[in-house]
Amino acid sequence: VSTQSTGGSRDNTARVWEQAPQCDANTPAANRWTVICQLTGHTGFVNAVASLKTSDEFPMGLIVTGGQDKVINVYCTGVSEPIRQLLGHSEGVTCLSTGWHGTILSGSADCTVRVWENMELKEVLKGHSAPVWDEAIYPGTET
């Protein structure tokens, strides 16, 4: 069970909460979770949040955020400034999903889904005539 959670907001930030150890159902909610990091770097609403699993290079994993500012920010867990910005969408990023091998899918109001591998743009998927609100990576389909 994860003891951390991340949420994006219209205040242009994302926040990482950590659950206090040894909490039970009788512990008041305000005492169970504490903000441990505020993720900055967006100039518009943070519309989407996802996480990338741990790796040798990033043993605590990575947090990925997508914003109304058309930017995807990548953060090391516990660090408030992005280590990388993924650029390419011409409208706000509306959704994100991640896969086992570091693949990131990003959907946007520009009607596209972009496929990122190793934090580099690999494919632009076109065909929608309206903003993309969600996308998914199906198990077993990553290369």
Side-chain angles (χ1 to χ4, degrees), residues 102-121:
T103 302
I104 300 169
L105 292 184
S106 59
S108 170
D110 66 11
C111 307
T112 68
V113 173
R114 292 176 189 258
V115 181
W116 308 83
E117 289 186 3
N118 299 316
M119 294 190 235
E120 298 292 333
L121 181 61

Side-chain angles (χ1 to χ4, degrees), residues 54-79:
T54 60
S55 66
D56 290 339
E57 186 177 3
F58 301 105
M60 298 207 38
L62 295 170
I63 298 169
V64 184
T65 61
Q68 194 65 24
D69 56 6
K70 310 171 196 171
V71 175
I72 299 164
N73 283 333
V74 181
Y75 303 84
C76 286
T77 301
V79 178

